[in-house]
Amino acid sequence: MQTADIKEIAALEQQALQADARGDTRRAVQCWEALLARAPDHPRALRSLSHEAFSAGRLDRARALLQRLVDVDGRDKQQWLNLSVVCLAQKDEDGEEAALRGALTVDPYDLVALVLRSRLYIRQGRRQAAAGACAAVAAVAPPLHTLPPDLQPVVREALDWHEAYNREFGAHLDSFLAPYLRELQGENLARFRESVDIMTGRKRRYDSQPALFHYQGLLPTSFFARSEFPWLDALEASTGDIREEFLAVLAAEQGFTPYIDYSEDQPLNQWAELNKSLSWSAFRLIDNGAPVEDNAARCPRTMAALRGAPQPDQPGRTPSAMFSVLKPKTRIPPHTGVSNVRLVTHLPLIVPPGCGFRVGNDTREWEVGKAWVFDDTIEHEAWNDSEQLRVVLIFDVWHPQLSQAERAMITAMTAGINQFTQAAGGFAL
């Protein structure tokens, strides 16, 4: 292209933009047409003229211009989206689908393109394709209230369709699997049932999300089978003694500290309400791997019971053990622990009605004297909706799937971390 041609094209583009700016559509179109006659593949001219043609109802002209635009450029997803809108207006579903595929090839996460594709498949009655498209919308869409108002209804439509499809899918599987489950009645199929619930959207998937150290190969399990912890029988047999010692320290009203105690310069997130608050307090018996001497001396029978459990050995970090006291009308928000090499044990001591505990998809009520062990690196939360204190003895234990050699290396690793950082701590329950 000659220098004179380049200058003329630039001048026409400038004139067209100036005409657009002052609202002189007719003059702008003339300039864009003149420019396009000299440079048939000029992206801005093609885009501007296609917009003018669509606004005037000249769909064939708009489509031809947009098709040329994506053929010569196609790097902007909006070019493809505009083409899909023209195809929709022309009732050309094949063209619409191809244009949406082009937009998603440029940006596979574009919410508008995903929503338009889901609406196309729903309109066509292509249920399986629509299910996949709506699932993609659900995966990408942020909370509805954060979206522009004009986008919220169509996103909601895709999400509602996705939920309805999952309900129908789940009901079908329930019916289909019923005779198979009857044949296996008495077998432990809890994991299978939960997996189906997650696949059909009836439950969420929760994974182990330790904040500090994730040990490979340990399957995430919310509540562990009691049979893996034979020492629980002896612990539960000591419930009366342990509860009696707690009531004595409670009466003395000494030694209780806030369970959550971050410095003021830390990002608190969900802990803002409970930080430095005695609404959730602890009477610590073992803290960061060492006994709290004054507190432990007041609870000798509790300390003896704890020695029967396989407590972790990570100097400066764990084991830990405490009486956890939750005041009336207090909720502990969803959170996760720091490492899946240790599990957490609860022995309930005082449990008024209205208290509950959730780990992942599994919600349970405490029962005085009945202990359980759970993985605190899976999201969990607790609440006391009663008018009385809720009290649980909490302590950590080794994950039972770790061999003695693995436990020894984890202990050594902790010593190495402490040496490198010249600090300890950070494994609070």
Side-chain angles (χ1 to χ4, degrees):
M1 184 178 292
Q2 299 296 320
T3 302
D5 292 332
I6 295 174
K7 289 182 177 179
E8 185 177 1
I9 289 170
L12 285 169
E13 183 173 6
Q14 187 64 28
Q15 293 171 31
L17 293 173
Q18 291 172 349
D20 272 332
R22 63 176 182 267
D24 188 352
T25 303
R26 181 178 177 182
R27 176 57 181 160
V29 169
Q30 289 176 344
C31 293
W32 288 125
E33 292 283 11
L35 191 160
L36 200 62
R38 291 164 175 76
D41 294 338
H42 193 282
R44 179 169 279 177
L46 290 168
R47 185 185 63 202
S48 298
L49 289 173
S50 67
H51 178 74
E52 185 277 331
F54 183 77
S55 299
R58 294 184 288 126
L59 300 181
D60 289 343
R61 171 67 171 161
R63 179 167 181 175
L65 291 164
L66 285 168
Q67 187 62 57
R68 190 191 307 177
L69 177 59
V70 298
D71 288 344
V72 301
D73 186 5
R75 294 170 296 175
D76 183 350
K77 63 188 176 186
Q78 193 59 48
Q79 298 170 358
W80 293 98
L81 289 172
N82 290 346
L83 179 57
S84 75
V85 171
V86 174
C87 292
L88 172 62
Q90 291 183 315
K91 303 187 186 310
D92 179 0
E93 292 181 341
D94 289 342
E96 181 185 358
E97 183 175 12
L100 291 172
R101 187 181 305 113
L104 290 167
T105 299
V106 175
D107 182 1
Y109 297 93
D110 183 68
L111 182 58
V112 173
L114 290 170
V115 167
L116 290 176
R117 185 169 66 176
S118 71
R119 300 190 89 194
L120 169 63
Y121 292 159
I122 292 170
R123 193 169 68 245
Q124 292 176 322
R126 296 165 59 185
R127 284 178 51 77
Q128 292 308 115
C134 290
V137 173
V140 167
L144 277 180
H145 71 274
T146 66
L147 294 172
D150 59 335
L151 190 55
Q152 292 181 19
V154 291
V155 173
R156 179 75 269 171
E157 175 187 277
L159 297 179
D160 288 346
W161 197 97
H162 183 237
E163 290 175 6
Y165 176 88
N166 277 341
R167 284 195 299 272
E168 184 178 345
F169 182 31
H172 170 79
L173 284 181
D174 289 343
S175 176
F176 182 85
L177 293 172
Y180 296 88
L181 291 170
R182 282 195 295 270
E183 289 183 10
L184 296 172
Q185 191 170 6
E187 297 289 339
N188 184 359
L189 293 170
R191 291 189 302 180
F192 172 78
R193 292 177 185 272
E194 183 173 33
S195 299
V196 172
D197 285 342
I198 291 171
M199 180 177 66
T200 57
R202 292 185 290 215
K203 290 183 178 179
R204 280 180 54 191
R205 173 181 170 182
Y206 290 95
D207 293 317
S208 174
Q209 296 181 318
L212 183 60
F213 180 58
H214 178 76
Y215 200 91
Q216 290 293 102
L218 301 179
L219 294 178
T221 303
S222 53
F223 291 92
F224 282 72
R226 183 184 175 86
S227 58
E228 297 193 61
F229 310 99
W231 47 266
L232 282 177
D233 290 338
L235 175 71
E236 291 176 344
S238 301
T239 299
D241 289 341
I242 295 170
R243 187 175 188 275
E244 184 178 327
E245 288 185 337
F246 168 75
L247 290 173
V249 299
L250 179 65
E253 296 184 347
Q254 294 180 343
F256 291 87
T257 58
Y259 196 105
I260 303 298
D261 190 13
Y262 291 119
S263 63
E264 299 298 340
D265 61 344
Q266 296 296 311
L268 299 178
N269 296 327
Q270 76 266 39
W271 297 119
E273 188 173 330
L274 287 175
N275 191 40
K276 300 185 182 300
S277 170
L278 289 175
S279 293
W280 184 20
S281 65
F283 185 85
R284 302 177 193 278
L285 301 166
I286 305 172
D287 193 31
N288 291 329
V292 181
E293 296 296 346
D294 289 345
N295 292 351
R298 296 163 65 183
C299 304
R301 289 173 290 180
T302 301
M303 295 299 293
L306 290 172
R307 285 193 285 272
Q311 297 181 75
D313 180 14
Q314 294 184 261
R317 299 177 186 273
T318 184
S320 292
M322 69 194 73
F323 295 120
S324 169
V325 181
L326 197 61
K327 285 189 175 181
K329 307 301 181 184
T330 301
R331 300 186 72 88
I332 301 171
H335 62 287
T336 57
V338 295
S339 175
N340 62 338
V341 301
R342 65 95 194 265
L343 304 175
V344 177
T345 306
H346 280 187
L347 176 65
L349 303 176
I350 300 174
V351 186
C355 294
F357 186 63
R358 177 186 67 82
V359 183
N361 288 306
D362 199 345
T363 299
R364 298 186 179 183
E365 294 182 1
W366 289 282
E367 183 179 345
V368 172
K370 299 296 184 182
W372 62 46
V373 181
F374 70 97
D375 183 345
D376 78 330
T377 65
I378 298 173
E379 182 186 276
H380 58 288
E381 61 180 325
W383 55 92
N384 178 4
D385 293 336
S386 78
E387 300 293 342
Q388 301 170 271
L389 290 180
R390 183 237 62 181
V391 182
V392 177
L393 174 67
I394 297 180
F395 60 94
D396 48 2
V397 295
W398 281 117
H399 195 296
Q401 295 172 10
L402 293 170
S403 68
Q404 290 301 321
E406 288 175 309
R407 295 178 186 187
M409 289 309 301
I410 292 169
T411 299
M413 177 196 70
T414 305
I417 293 172
N418 294 343
Q419 182 184 72
F420 181 79
T421 62
Q422 299 183 352
F427 262 39
L429 286 171

